[in-house]
């Protein structure tokens, strides 16, 4: 930011006081714009003037912002009868950066009022505020204590919707996961957090599963949680994530499914990372591994180290094994085809794999190649229709998310969980909270 002021100094000199006042005003403008969500990048003249004054008055903040290029005129408001001018920040990142500079206290992101969320502040759940949060965590002038308190508040957030502590495959509320995923991204921006290791370890556990030594068995978390954790792993501190996954893979007591998920995740995080490459090469060399893990290891190795000869050799060996089932043969040949598109053995194996109505993976690949787009239209329509009914879905389905339903009717629990998880990704937290407890109010006659 200082560099831009220096760059413009010859043509539009500004004093330090003017810069501070302009930065503060642009910060207030950016915060208001981002809160609007839908039109945050298109700022109408009246809206800007409320914060920056009259652009026709020389040396006004509005005038300075235009001269310095922080704001640019981008057109006219078509919906305005007077054809009001519309402005935008030079780049969306500048809007987010000015907003981050204007945050004086992390409670502007999260001010939890547990019994009445309508009175709270929950910008942490608004997607358009995510980059602002990360930029704020990256500020050098914000005290370490302030950042640590915020990260801790995210980790300990209690949404008050459901009792999941005793449910092995869940353990947290819907918005508790969302808050935790923000914390995971946050410790990548602010790497000195004392919570980093614990946060990354939790994300790895939710993604790959947890091995319980006492029972000698693994626990996989529900699919929406695992998928959310997969995304979070790609956004958190990569060095710590890779270290946690390598340590997990090296556990000799690990069960098949957890190891497979860990290997798959390792292949996605950081292409070219030598520690990950070494771990996968070592794993491939273990003769006691089953075919599925060998395929996943070789496939992940190819992702982070394209053209790796050991990965190619393993895949060639797998597709040449006549005792291999169709699924593993298809996966191996498909992976080999991505590494070496002209590999004749891969092409031959793909042709020989039995493709029928039960081989969903083969069908999915072929449909993708055909390039059918009609499903996208159906998906959009489904999302548009679903959003109207989300509060009703939450109200009507949350009774099935009890420990009793989990134990006695897991299929119903799992189905309802997926529905409400999707609602929680879109609904503002206060609206979700109100919908969650709406049924109780109806029962009580309120």
């Amino acid at each position: 930011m200082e560099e831009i002021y220096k760059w413009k100094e010859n043509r539009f000199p500004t004093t330090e006081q003017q810069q501070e006042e302009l930065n503060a005003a642009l910060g207030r403008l950016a915060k208001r714009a981002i809160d609007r969500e839908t039109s945050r990048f298109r700022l109408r003249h009246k809206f800007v003037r409320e914060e920056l004054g009259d652009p026709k008055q020389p040396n006004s903040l509005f005038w300075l912002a235009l001269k310095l290029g922080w704001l640019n005129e981008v057109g006219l408001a078509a919906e305005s009868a007077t054809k009001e001018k519309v402005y935008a920040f030079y780049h969306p990142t500048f809007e987010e950066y000015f907003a981050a500079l204007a945050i004086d206290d992390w409670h502007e992101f999260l001010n939890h009022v547990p019994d009445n969320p309508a009175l709270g502040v929950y910008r942490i759940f608004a997607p358009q505020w995510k980059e602002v949060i990360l930029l704020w965590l990256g500020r050098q002038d914000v005290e370490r204590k302030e950042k640590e308190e915020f990260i801790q508040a995210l980790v300990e957030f209690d949404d008050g919707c459901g009792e999941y502590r005793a449910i092995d495959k869940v353990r947290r509320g819907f918005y508790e996961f969302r808050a935790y995923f923000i914390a995971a991204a946050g410790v990548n921006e602010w790497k000195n957090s004392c919570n980093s290791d614990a946060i990354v370890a939790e994300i790895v556990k939710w993604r790959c599963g947890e091995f319980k030594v006492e029972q000698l068995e693994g626990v996989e978390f529900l699919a929406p949680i695992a998928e959310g954790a997969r995304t979070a792993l790609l956004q958190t501190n990569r060095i710590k994530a890779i270290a946690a996954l390598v340590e997990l893979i090296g556990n000799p007591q690990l069960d098949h499914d957890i190891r497979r998920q860990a290997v798959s995740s390792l292949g996605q995080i950081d292409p070219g990372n030598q520690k990950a490459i070494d771990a996968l090469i070592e794993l491939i060399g273990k003769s006691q591994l089953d075919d599925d893990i060998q395929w996943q290891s070789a496939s992940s190795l190819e992702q982070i180290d394209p053209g790796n000869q050991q990965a190619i050799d393993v895949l060639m060996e797998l597709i040449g094994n006549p005792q291999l089932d169709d699924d593993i043969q298809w996966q191996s040949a498909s992976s080999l085809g991505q590494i070496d598109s002209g590999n004749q053995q891969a092409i031959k194996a793909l042709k020989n794999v039995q493709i029928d109505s039960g081989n969903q993976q083969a069908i999915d690949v072929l449909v993708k190649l055909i390039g059918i787009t009609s499903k996208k239209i159906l998906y959009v329509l489904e999302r548009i229709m679903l959003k109207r009914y989300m509060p009703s879905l939450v109200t009507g389905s949350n009774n099935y998310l009890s420990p009793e339903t989990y134990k006695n009717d897991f299929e119903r629990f799992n189905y309802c969980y997926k529905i409400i998880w999707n609602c929680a990704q879109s609904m503002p937290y206060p609206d979700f909270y109100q919908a969650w407890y709406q049924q109780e109010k109806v029962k009580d006659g309120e």
Side-chain angles (χ1 to χ4, degrees):
M1 184 182 295
E2 291 179 3
E3 293 300 318
I4 292 182
Y5 282 118
K6 289 179 182 178
W7 179 43
K8 297 276 188 174
E9 193 170 13
N10 290 334
R11 296 183 61 191
F12 305 108
T14 52
T15 65
E16 187 174 332
Q17 182 179 349
Q18 283 178 313
Q19 293 174 18
E20 289 178 358
E21 289 178 358
L22 181 57
N23 291 346
L26 288 172
R28 293 192 300 271
L29 177 68
K31 283 169 60 178
R32 287 182 59 198
I34 293 171
D35 270 334
R36 297 193 308 175
E37 185 178 2
T38 53
S39 58
R40 62 191 178 109
F41 297 127
R42 291 177 57 83
L43 314 175
R44 292 175 65 160
H45 182 88
K46 183 181 178 181
F47 182 79
V48 179
R49 185 172 176 171
E50 289 172 1
E51 289 294 346
L52 303 185
D54 187 352
K56 295 179 181 179
Q57 182 180 343
N59 292 319
S60 71
L61 295 179
F62 201 160
W63 183 87
L64 278 175
L66 292 171
K67 292 296 182 183
L68 292 167
W70 290 126
L71 292 177
N72 294 302
E73 186 179 329
V74 294
L76 301 174
E79 68 277 15
S80 170
T82 59
K83 300 300 181 184
E84 186 178 5
K85 291 180 179 179
V86 175
Y87 303 87
F89 279 85
Y90 176 72
H91 190 277
T93 302
F94 284 113
E95 182 175 286
E96 293 160 345
Y97 182 68
F98 277 115
L101 287 180
I103 300 295
D104 297 321
D105 184 335
W106 63 264
H107 288 90
E108 292 189 52
F109 297 130
L110 172 62
N111 184 26
H112 191 25
V113 182
D115 296 326
N116 192 357
L119 300 178
V121 176
Y122 300 97
R123 283 172 169 150
I124 60 169
F125 300 128
Q128 71 270 24
W129 276 95
K130 183 175 180 179
E131 287 303 317
V132 180
I133 291 170
L134 299 181
L135 287 166
W136 181 83
L137 284 167
R139 281 175 52 182
Q140 299 297 315
D141 60 332
V142 176
E143 292 184 7
R144 178 190 180 99
K145 180 175 178 289
E146 181 95 352
K147 295 179 183 180
E148 203 69 77
E149 285 178 358
F150 178 51
I151 294 292
Q152 195 67 34
L154 291 172
V155 169
E156 296 177 351
F157 183 77
D158 182 353
D159 65 18
C161 298
E163 294 294 333
Y164 302 111
R165 297 293 182 270
I167 299 178
D168 256 0
K169 293 177 178 285
V170 183
R171 303 187 198 175
R172 282 179 176 265
F174 295 98
Y175 289 82
E176 292 167 26
F177 277 113
R178 289 191 63 186
Y180 211 101
F181 292 153
I182 290 290
V187 296
N188 186 40
E189 190 65 37
W190 181 51
K191 294 179 171 58
N192 294 325
S193 173
C194 64
N195 286 288
S196 293
D197 290 330
I199 289 172
V200 171
E202 282 291 285
I203 298 296
V204 168
K205 180 174 72 178
W206 296 337
R207 170 55 183 156
C208 303
E210 180 182 25
F211 183 74
K212 294 194 169 185
V213 179
E214 299 83 4
Q215 291 85 9
L216 291 178
E217 64 179 11
V219 175
E220 290 185 13
F221 289 81
L222 296 184
I225 299 170
E227 179 58 25
R230 184 193 69 80
T231 301
L233 265 182
L234 300 177
Q235 298 174 357
T236 195
N237 188 309
R238 291 184 176 184
I239 294 175
K240 292 184 181 296
I242 289 170
L245 287 167
V246 169
E247 182 181 354
L248 185 63
I249 290 169
N251 183 347
Q253 294 181 312
L254 212 59
D255 75 0
H256 172 279
D257 291 331
I258 295 177
R259 178 173 279 111
R260 188 178 186 279
Q261 288 287 10
V263 169
S264 175
S265 298
L266 195 57
Q268 298 172 9
I269 294 177
D270 189 10
N273 184 283
Q274 194 58 50
K275 187 172 183 179
I277 292 170
D278 292 343
L280 289 171
I281 288 175
E282 182 181 350
L283 191 61
I284 285 173
K286 293 182 177 180
S287 58
Q288 68 270 31
L289 286 183
D290 62 29
D291 294 333
D292 189 29
I293 296 294
Q294 278 208 315
W295 162 74
Q296 185 64 71
S297 300
S299 181
S300 294
L301 182 56
E302 193 282 326
Q303 285 182 275
I304 60 176
D305 189 19
N308 185 286
Q309 190 59 48
Q310 286 177 267
I312 293 173
D313 291 344
V314 167
L315 292 170
M316 290 278 286
E317 183 178 345
L318 286 172
I319 65 175
N321 183 351
Q323 297 179 331
L324 214 59
D325 66 38
D326 284 345
D327 285 340
I328 299 296
Q329 193 175 33
W330 171 269
Q331 291 167 342
S332 301
S334 180
S335 297
L336 185 56
Q338 292 172 28
I339 301 172
D340 182 4
S341 59
N343 190 291
Q344 291 303 310
Q345 191 168 351
I347 294 169
K348 182 179 178 182
L350 286 169
K351 288 180 179 178
N352 290 337
V353 172
Q354 181 70 27
I355 297 176
D356 56 30
S357 59
N359 193 329
Q360 188 60 52
Q361 187 172 9
I363 293 169
D364 288 345
V365 171
L366 292 175
V367 168
K368 186 176 180 182
L369 290 174
I370 293 170
I372 295 174
T373 59
S374 59
K375 285 187 177 180
K376 293 183 180 179
I377 299 171
L378 292 172
Y379 176 77
V380 172
L381 288 172
E382 182 185 33
R383 295 289 291 181
I384 292 171
M385 293 179 67
L386 182 61
K387 200 161 188 177
R388 290 180 55 193
Y389 302 107
M390 282 182 178
S392 298
L393 287 168
V394 172
T395 301
S397 302
N398 73 66
N399 270 355
Y400 298 111
L401 299 186
S402 65
E404 291 75 25
T405 308
Y406 176 82
K407 181 179 179 181
N408 300 320
D409 192 353
F410 176 75
E411 186 176 0
R412 186 186 300 272
F413 179 98
N414 192 33
Y415 181 75
C416 292
Y417 189 89
K418 288 177 181 178
I419 291 175
I420 298 182
W421 176 279
N422 289 333
C423 294
Q425 306 313 300
S426 300
M427 291 178 66
Y429 169 61
D431 293 350
F432 183 94
Y433 184 92
Q434 182 180 18
W436 185 273
Y437 288 103
Q438 189 63 41
Q439 195 171 66
E440 291 185 12
K441 291 182 180 179
V442 172
K443 286 180 180 179
D444 294 339
E446 292 183 26

